[in-house]
Amino acid sequence: MLNRISLDNILAKNKFTKEDLVSLLSIHNKQEMQQLFDKAYEVKKNYVGTIVYFRGLIELSNVCEKNCYYCGIRKENRKVERYTMSEEEILRAAELAWQLGYGSIVLQAGEISSSRYTGFIEGLIYKIKELSHGELGITLSLGEQEEDTYKRWHDAGAHRYLLRIETSDRKLYASLHPENHSYNRRLECLKTLGDIGYYVGTGVMIGLPGQTTEHLAKDVMFFHQTDVDMIGMGPYIPHHDTPMACCLGNFDDIKQGQLELALRMIAITRIFLKDVNIASTTALQSMDDSGRELGLKAGANIIMPNVTDTIYRRGYQLYDNKPCLDENASMCRTCLEGRIISIGETIGYNKLGDSPHHNRKNIMDKEKS
């Protein structure tokens, strides 16, 4: 346990060392954790404010070419009933998000790279921009693609891309994926996205089998070194139909520890990176009914309410016990609005809520040129 003087000294620093990060991630004392969360919330208020921005999530397909050992929609999981939403269904979900006042949507799916599919996505982006009169921001979370595909999607109107690294440690990454999944390829895609001009997002799973606080400290340093604009990360929750299903033993025995570690990771990332967007993920609510509010209080500022038709939601379960499977989009908005207001924050309806970090980078680049 850190003594009070040591914790105060670390939190007073402008930048943390790796050793500082490890110390903060290792906190278990409730009072010290609250001090960490309070500091993160102070930084959040100063750099991004207390407005929560919604991203309407559309899980458009659970078909995937990848075979990641932890994922419920991995290619070799034969128990999943596969689906791909029609263009009409996706556009209807996007329009609903727009009507509900969400400033942005996220198009998320398993990784598919065929020309037919990438062309389908390109056409969708143009049509979503058209139906919303250019008002809806579009974030894509569609995995590794060729540079030309990323460019076409960006030209069509997508301006953010979330590609989670899952872990920045090569050996740990290799333990999560088959040999034909390349860590270097993941890094190359992140760099390409930034070069094209996307607001780039990445993230990690927290509490993985074999993961240490040193790994997580390296992850935070990785976020800083790659200069990303948004972070989407949450606790690792096993899926029963994956090779990693039993790697953590009885999950109920460690669930609270997983949640607290994820919240510490959010807080430390907020303090260290300051002006990036950080999502309070649905996985947090899987661990605790108030999980997303706890994430906001630990420094997050983005929430992704699901606007996918409920007939498809059971087919898109990356992990067990995913919440809100039977809750339609309007119910979800009402519920989240009440939760957010209850903690003294407001919602940025009809606003893009772009990362201040990206905007600051653009100003600095212009000044250099």
Side-chain angles (χ1 to χ4, degrees):
M1 183 177 76
L2 286 171
N3 62 55
R4 184 57 179 258
I5 295 175
S6 298
L7 180 57
D8 287 342
N9 288 342
I10 292 175
L11 293 179
K13 293 183 179 181
N14 189 42
K15 285 191 176 181
F16 298 144
T17 64
K18 180 184 174 184
E19 291 71 27
D20 293 334
L21 295 171
V22 169
S23 294
L24 295 174
L25 285 163
S26 303
I27 290 173
H28 293 286
N29 178 275
K30 299 293 185 183
Q31 185 177 355
E32 290 176 345
M33 276 199 288
Q34 190 58 55
Q35 186 180 350
L36 174 65
F37 299 152
D38 290 346
K39 175 65 176 181
Y41 200 77
E42 177 188 337
V43 173
K44 169 181 162 175
K45 286 196 294 185
N46 290 339
Y47 284 88
V48 299
T50 57
I51 299 175
V52 179
Y53 297 102
F54 282 175
R55 313 278 192 244
L57 179 62
I58 304 174
E59 298 163 332
L60 60 93
S61 176
N62 68 353
V63 179
C64 191
E65 297 172 347
K66 295 282 190 174
N67 209 22
C68 306
Y69 298 143
Y70 55 84
C71 183
I73 63 169
R74 64 194 303 265
K75 183 179 180 180
E76 290 186 7
N77 185 0
R78 309 300 181 193
K79 297 181 181 179
V80 175
E81 184 176 347
R82 303 291 173 172
Y83 74 87
T84 298
M85 294 170 63
S86 69
E87 180 182 90
E88 181 183 359
E89 289 172 318
I90 299 167
L91 293 177
R92 189 161 61 239
E95 186 170 23
L96 175 59
W98 181 48
Q99 291 170 345
L100 288 171
Y102 300 170
S104 298
I105 58 169
V106 180
L107 299 181
Q108 185 177 69
E111 294 195 24
I112 310 171
S113 56
S114 69
S115 58
R116 179 180 179 183
Y117 177 78
T118 59
F120 172 67
I121 297 296
E122 182 180 8
L124 273 175
I125 296 167
Y126 278 116
K127 290 178 180 179
I128 291 168
K129 282 295 183 180
E130 181 180 3
L131 73 82
S132 68
H133 309 298
E135 293 178 2
L136 266 180
I138 300 176
T139 301
L140 302 179
S141 183
L142 302 172
E144 297 168 7
Q145 302 289 343
E146 296 300 322
E147 181 176 357
D148 178 66
T149 297
Y150 286 146
K151 284 181 178 177
R152 288 190 290 112
W153 289 350
H154 189 264
D155 290 343
H159 77 293
R160 305 190 197 99
Y161 204 103
L162 176 62
L163 183 65
R164 301 205 327 179
I165 193 72
E166 304 302 6
T167 173
S168 62
D169 184 84
R170 288 177 180 273
K171 289 184 179 180
L172 188 56
Y173 187 93
S175 74
L176 306 175
H177 303 91
E179 289 184 2
N180 64 347
H181 291 34
S182 169
Y183 179 84
N184 286 342
R185 168 71 171 149
R186 208 74 166 174
L187 292 183
E188 289 166 3
C189 286
L190 285 170
K191 183 180 185 305
T192 297
L193 289 164
D195 291 343
I196 289 170
Y198 282 96
Y199 289 62
V200 180
T202 193
V204 297
M205 289 185 288
I206 302 161
L208 286 163
Q211 188 181 58
T212 66
T213 51
E214 285 78 10
H215 286 135
L216 290 170
K218 284 175 59 179
D219 291 337
V220 178
M221 302 294 286
F222 174 83
F223 299 154
H224 180 260
Q225 290 159 3
T226 51
D227 208 18
V228 293
D229 306 300
M230 52 190 187
I231 310 292
M233 58 185 174
Y236 168 65
I237 304 173
H239 188 286
H240 62 281
D241 286 326
T242 65
M244 291 176 57
C246 299
C247 288
L248 293 178
N250 185 344
F251 191 70
D252 287 339
D253 292 341
I254 64 166
K255 186 166 69 170
Q256 184 62 29
Q258 293 280 91
L259 173 63
E260 291 177 356
L261 181 58
L263 293 173
R264 292 198 298 276
M265 189 70 170
I266 289 173
I268 292 163
T269 302
R270 170 59 67 202
I271 298 168
F272 195 59
L273 300 187
K274 295 181 172 58
D275 59 357
V276 299
N277 280 345
I278 301 176
S280 187
T281 60
T282 307
L284 293 171
Q285 192 175 335
S286 297
M287 312 288 276
D288 186 292
D289 184 58
S290 300
R292 285 198 278 199
E293 296 97 287
L294 293 173
L296 294 174
K297 290 163 76 173
N301 67 317
I302 302 292
I303 281 185
M304 296 188 288
N306 205 327
V307 294
T308 311
D309 194 308
T310 53
I311 64 172
Y312 294 116
R313 292 194 197 175
R314 291 193 181 277
Y316 203 92
Q317 296 191 66
L318 310 185
Y319 52 84
D320 286 344
N321 301 316
K322 184 178 178 182
C324 305
L325 295 178
D326 300 314
E327 191 175 81
N328 68 41
S330 297
M331 292 166 61
C332 186
R333 180 192 169 197
T334 302
C335 174
L336 285 173
E337 186 176 70
R339 288 169 177 263
I340 290 166
I341 291 172
S342 74
I343 62 170
E345 299 203 333
T346 56
I347 301 165
Y349 285 122
N350 301 304
K351 294 181 179 179
L352 290 176
D354 282 332
S355 161
H357 181 79
H358 187 89
N359 298 333
R360 179 172 60 81
K361 283 195 299 186
N362 283 346
I363 292 172
M364 291 173 65
D365 289 342
K366 289 177 182 178
E367 288 175 348
K368 288 177 183 178
S369 60

